[in-house]
Amino acid sequence: DELTGLENCIKLIDTLLTGYGVDAELTEMVNDFEIYILPLMNPDGRNVGTLGQRFNANGQDLNRDFPDRCWDSTNTAAGREIETAPVMDFTAARNFVISANFHGGEVVANYPWDSNYN
């Protein structure tokens, strides 16, 4: 049920590529910023049924495999799913200023401290 993100990322890539050299703002953005786009992190889930699913072939919800400051504060890629570990290593090696993700179905705003200790 996460296919919206894939389609949005493909559209963003297309917009950046076709607008480069044509649209001054897009050209400046591509020239001045490092832009990384991960259209699909869960190909296993994508290939299940017509709507896909959140779980990989190991039955793990990759959305819940990342560290959480309250419930899983071990901020290491060790022991993570094969899809999660490279994403953690990649992001740890860079100094990201902003990131975005796309989910289908609901309007959700996530903040760095969504979890609490209650």
Side-chain angles (χ1 to χ4, degrees):
D1 61 355
E2 302 285 350
L3 303 181
T4 305
L6 171 62
E7 296 302 322
N8 281 334
C9 285
I10 290 171
K11 177 63 177 167
L12 174 59
I13 293 166
D14 181 64
T15 299
L16 292 172
L17 292 175
T18 58
Y20 186 80
V22 176
D23 181 297
E25 288 180 346
L26 290 175
T27 302
E28 181 180 9
M29 185 168 56
V30 171
N31 287 342
D32 292 350
F33 298 101
E34 291 182 41
I35 301 171
Y36 302 98
I37 301 171
L38 176 63
L40 181 63
M41 189 174 133
N42 185 5
D44 299 337
R46 166 66 176 88
N47 290 327
V48 175
T50 58
L51 295 178
Q53 69 174 6
R54 295 169 66 117
F55 304 96
N56 69 1
N58 293 334
Q60 297 297 312
D61 180 346
L62 299 179
N63 291 320
R64 305 293 176 261
D65 194 42
F66 289 91
D68 178 280
R69 71 182 186 99
C70 298
W71 317 116
D72 178 15
S73 60
T74 305
N75 194 12
T76 176
R80 305 284 173 189
E81 291 295 306
I82 194 168
E83 301 91 347
T84 308
V87 173
M88 289 182 66
D89 291 339
F90 183 86
T91 57
R94 287 155 182 84
N95 185 22
F96 282 91
V97 175
I98 189 170
S99 69
N101 67 64
F102 301 105
H103 284 269
E106 297 290 332
V107 175
V108 177
N110 292 317
Y111 300 93
W113 309 112
D114 274 353
S115 298
N116 61 45
Y117 292 101
N118 296 335

